[in-house]
Structures are given as structure tokens and as C-alpha cells.
Amino acid sequence: MDLARLTRIDETTWRIDPHGAMRVPAIVYGDERLISDMDDKVYEQVVNVAMLPGIVQASYAMPDAHWGYGFPIGGVAAFDAERGGVVSAGGVGFDISCGVRTMLTDLKVPDVLSVQKTLADSLCRQIPAGVGSTGAITLDTIEMDAMLSGGARWAVDRGWGDASDLNRIEENGTMAGAMSECVSERARERQCREMGTLGSGNHYLEVQAVAEIFDAGAAKVYGLAENDVVVTIHCGSRGLGHQIGTEYLREMVAAASASGITLPDRELACAPINSDVGQRYLGAMRAAINCALANREILGHFARRVFSHFFPGRTLSLLFDVSHNTCKVEPHVIDGKRRHLFVHRKGATRAFGPGHESVPADLRQAGQPVLIGGSMGTGSYILAGEASAEQKAFSSACHGAGRAMSRHAALKQWSGRKIQDDLRAQGILVRSPSTRGIAEEAPGAYKDVAAVVAAAEHAGLARRVARLRPLVCIKG
């Protein structure tokens, strides 16, 4: 991205002043290197988002931002329904409620290293992964509706989870306002055998070691110490979410035109929040959030089952489960007034600060855990939301390292088998049904996650608590 096109506010905050049809400015977070390495499409997309009706305050891009569909991945924007605001399926993404859950174990690294290979093999057998992967759970119409309405609580009630998890899941495990009747038969068909599966792309289950602590106070609240072992799961709503996104984007192209909305990019198809299409999309999207929450709960249950075989009597307790691709109604203070806004986060994480009422009471003094996925070879991070993120970006933060190159480019540069061998030499065991998938997700295809989280911290979005290094990675 050409730095000359932006105004530097401070070391990690850059502004694009309103011009053309922009209704608000655009703000991009990142240090000079991260910003200059972003492709020009990020500039174009964050500017285009600023042109949408009813947008409030600014269009934002996180430090991990890269080119996406409509919104940049790492894009955040809020809209006011009372002032002509819109909802955009492109502002949520196709993998609705793709997110991360991290589970604590009472194990130390030597415990896992003693069984590392057999543990990796067992997790690979028990966790269905890959393109089109299906599991042993099949949902009929009644159970599909119950899942779309109940989310993680539905999974717990069916024996695929633990009731103690619910307090540590965003929305307490169930997204209110879901309308299963707004989910098409095709979306249901795609999901009926995909519950409890990882899928493909950048989705994974990792066994990780706590390699470094940055904030001892927050780490204590979160139950983290150096050399601890944690399990992290990254996945979303699978085929159902993708189908919902595809179908409603088509509807929104017509809805935007009918509402007199001029789209700067067809991929930013949207509908007024209070319109029929807008309300049906919100209902279907919330159902997809419940699907993702249920899916991660089931995967957590499967992981617990494997660990109980290797470590009888040991427990895996949930630290937190948070979504990346959502649109949620949240109260935010704008110009001194509390307004309920529809906050789109596309490849961005909710990051409420210390004391926020939506953070579980036993974590509230530290702030909401913000779970940042890295790559197979570079590790991940646990951050804590900052109160300053409220004004900085509607209490939002980055969600991962962010891609530095396309999957197609990665395939040209790396061999999946060689990556697997190289990582094994570093003590990281990777299991995947596809060496092609490993090549697409090569560590070198991603930005420097350490730089991304340092920029997020400097910008006041979230602060670093712990760095995690992978021991075992089950890849889609």
C-alpha cells in the first residue's frame, strides 16, 4: 500500500480522509512495515466500505488486514439502523462465525512430548478434517432446527460438551435472534453431516505450549503459565455458513438497487437493516453463528475424549470461545450518546476491555481473552481486550497473522511434504488429509504474527498476554 495516500496519526494509526463518495474516514492500524506490505486492494476496500449508508464513525482495517470479498479481511464497520444503516453479507464473510476456542489442560510440555506422535495420530483419526469432511453425526430436520436455535447449548444437551463451557463462550453459547426458517434447504443439506468437523483452509486443531508470558496478572486470571499445554480449535459454520453467504449476497444486489443504494463494488451488496432481506439475513446469519458455536463445542468434546485416553483423570477446561466473522447489535457511545449499532467484524475479533459486562465475571478484571491464530510454524497469541478499543474500533482487534500471499502463490513456492518434514524437525507434528492444503497454509504465506499483535497492542486494541508455540497441528 502506498503510504503517501494515508495520513499518519501515530506509529500504528493511519487515516484516509473522506473523499469522493466516502461518508466517514477510514482508519488502518499497523506499523509502517505492515501497512506498506498490505496490497492496494485493502486501501480500495476500506475506502469503499466508508461509502455505505448509515456507517458510523469510520471504516476500520486491523493490522492483519488483507484483500477479501467486499470488506477487507480484518475489516470492521458499524451501522445505525435508525439512520439508514445497512447489513452486508460481504461484511461478515462466507465462513460465518469462523472463530477460535482455547482449552486449558493441567498438563506440562514433557507430558505431551512423551506421547506426541501417538497423540497426533489419534487426534487425526478422531477429528474429521479436509474439504467436504463429514462426521458420525447426522441431523434430521428437527435436530437441524434445534441446533440452529440452540448453538453450543444444544450440543451440551446432546452430550457433546460440558455445561461449564457455556459461560466462557461468546453469547453464552447461544446467539439470540436466530431464525432457522430463513436458512435454505440447500444450506441444511450441506450441513447435515458436517457437525464436529474442521473443514479445510486455515482451520485447525492444535496442541500448543505456552512459550512466553507478557502480562503476568492477566495470565494468572486466565489460568496460564509458561510450559503449560493448551488445545486450540479454529473453525466455523462449514457449508451452511458458506451457502447462506452465497444466497443472501445475490438477494442483496437486488435489494440495494431497489433501495436506491449505489454500490462502489458489487461485492459490497447490502440491504437496509430494517428491510425484509436485511432481517431475514440477520436471522439466518445468527443461526449460522449457532451452528459454528455448536461445531466448536462438539470438536472440543472430541478433543477431550482423546486426551482422556492418553491422560486419564486430567481435564480440559475452556478458557474462551470467540467468533471472527459476525454482525452483532452492540451498544457503543458515539459523541457522548449510547447507540445500538450493527457492528460488522470480518476477520476481526470482539475485544471488550476490563470491567465490561459482557466478559465472564471471573475474567472481567483482565478483559476479554482475544485468541489470535498464527500459522503452523510461527505460533499463536492470547491477548486481552483493552477499554481503549471501544473508541478505537468498536471494541475490535485483529484475528490472526493475516495472509501475505494467496493460496495459489503459496502452492507455487512450497511443497506440502517438505513443510511437514521441516516442521517435524522443529518438533511440530502436522497431520492433514492433504499435502496440498499444507502447502497452501505454509508459514511463509502469512504475515509476521508477532508484528501484528505488537501493532494491535501499540494501537490500544488489545494487549499481549501469552505466546503459544505448536506441538501438534491437525490441519484441514
Side-chain angles (χ1 to χ4, degrees):
M1 186 185 296
D2 182 1
L3 298 179
R5 303 173 75 187
L6 295 86
T7 301
R8 188 171 196 163
I9 305 301
D10 59 37
E11 189 176 336
T12 52
T13 307
W14 307 72
R15 176 184 170 100
I16 304 168
D17 290 320
H19 60 273
M22 290 176 69
R23 300 167 188 263
V24 294
I27 303 292
V28 184
Y29 292 109
D31 62 29
E32 187 170 324
R33 176 66 182 273
L34 287 169
I35 300 296
S36 61
D37 284 348
M38 288 181 187
D39 53 66
D40 288 333
K41 264 293 193 179
V42 173
Y43 179 97
E44 179 184 325
Q45 290 187 321
V46 76
V47 165
N48 285 344
V49 171
M51 300 178 188
L52 295 177
I55 189 168
V56 175
Q57 195 162 281
S59 166
Y60 298 96
M62 299 293 106
D64 56 337
H66 54 287
W67 182 17
Y69 186 98
F71 277 51
I73 297 172
V76 175
F79 299 85
D80 189 335
E82 301 305 313
R83 303 188 184 189
V86 297
V87 60
S88 172
V92 173
F94 290 98
D95 193 2
I96 298 170
S97 192
C98 175
V100 178
R101 75 163 30 203
T102 294
M103 305 170 73
L104 309 175
T105 76
D106 52 0
L107 301 169
K108 294 292 185 179
V109 172
D111 299 323
V112 167
L113 293 183
S114 65
V115 294
Q116 187 181 17
K117 183 180 182 302
T118 50
L119 176 63
D121 293 340
S122 183
L123 286 168
C124 185
R125 286 193 298 270
Q126 297 297 318
I127 307 293
V131 177
S133 53
T134 57
I137 298 170
T138 302
L139 303 185
D140 60 19
T141 300
I142 294 174
E143 283 300 294
M144 179 67 72
D145 282 336
M147 180 273 290
L148 294 174
S149 299
R153 185 174 295 280
W154 166 86
V156 168
D157 289 345
R158 302 306 187 273
W160 296 311
D162 193 318
S164 65
D165 292 345
L166 298 175
N167 181 54
R168 294 289 187 93
I169 302 174
E170 199 172 1
E171 308 298 338
N172 293 315
T174 302
M175 185 70 215
M179 299 167 63
S180 61
E181 66 272 21
C182 295
V183 178
S184 71
E185 285 304 313
R186 177 57 184 143
R188 293 160 177 266
E189 288 168 7
R190 292 185 64 177
Q191 194 62 32
C192 69
R193 291 205 56 208
E194 289 191 343
M195 299 306 298
T197 66
L198 272 180
S200 59
N202 62 349
H203 295 164
Y204 58 78
L205 180 148
E206 282 191 354
V207 181
Q208 302 165 325
V210 178
E212 186 175 5
I213 297 292
F214 298 93
D215 183 329
K220 184 176 181 180
V221 172
Y222 291 173
L224 299 167
E226 282 193 28
N227 216 35
D228 281 356
V229 172
V230 301
V231 177
T232 295
I233 297 168
H234 176 212
C235 68
S237 52
R238 302 285 281 112
L240 180 134
H242 195 282
Q243 190 67 30
I244 288 171
T246 299
E247 292 171 353
Y248 278 95
L249 273 166
R250 285 198 297 262
E251 277 202 68
M252 285 179 175
V253 171
S257 177
S259 300
I261 298 170
T262 300
L263 297 175
D265 178 356
R266 184 182 173 90
E267 292 182 358
L268 282 176
C270 58
I273 291 165
N274 292 327
S275 68
D276 173 67
V277 175
Q279 288 298 302
R280 285 191 289 108
Y281 171 73
L282 288 167
M285 182 210 62
R286 291 164 180 159
I289 291 175
N290 282 332
C291 176
L293 296 178
N295 194 32
R296 289 196 291 274
E297 183 68 24
I298 295 169
L299 287 166
H301 173 71
F302 290 167
R304 285 174 168 140
R305 191 167 61 188
V306 172
F307 270 76
S308 69
H309 172 76
F310 285 89
F311 307 102
R314 302 296 187 95
T315 60
L316 272 67
S317 59
L318 183 60
L319 169 58
F320 205 63
D321 184 310
V322 65
S323 299
H324 298 153
N325 297 342
T326 61
C327 173
K328 292 189 174 180
V329 184
E330 296 172 359
H332 290 281
V333 177
I334 306 296
D335 298 328
K337 295 182 179 179
R338 188 177 174 93
R339 291 159 62 181
H340 283 82
L341 305 176
F342 287 72
V343 183
H344 293 63
R345 296 186 180 95
K346 162 91 169 281
T349 303
R350 194 187 73 175
F352 291 144
H356 197 285
E357 61 185 9
S358 293
V359 180
D362 51 354
L363 303 176
R364 197 167 294 164
Q365 70 184 88
Q368 180 207 303
V370 177
L371 310 176
I372 306 296
S375 69
M376 293 177 287
T378 58
S380 302
Y381 283 79
I382 295 175
L383 280 59
E386 290 279 47
S388 53
E390 161 75 15
Q391 289 301 314
K392 297 276 187 178
F394 303 108
S395 296
S396 306
C398 54
H399 84 306
R403 292 197 75 93
M405 66 172 65
S406 69
R407 289 184 169 87
H408 180 71
L411 279 174
K412 288 185 174 181
Q413 189 162 337
W414 287 288
S415 154
R417 178 60 62 189
K418 186 175 188 308
I419 290 169
Q420 206 167 8
D421 292 342
D422 289 346
L423 291 175
R424 185 186 302 114
Q426 299 173 37
I428 304 167
L429 301 186
V430 178
R431 298 289 186 268
S432 174
S434 167
T435 56
R436 176 189 175 96
I438 294 175
E440 290 178 342
E441 296 299 313
Y446 282 83
K447 300 178 186 184
D448 179 358
V449 67
V452 168
V453 297
E457 180 174 272
H458 189 278
L461 303 174
R463 68 189 185 280
R464 291 170 294 177
V465 176
R467 177 173 62 87
L468 312 174
R469 62 179 177 88
L471 301 171
V472 172
C473 179
I474 310 303
K475 201 73 173 173

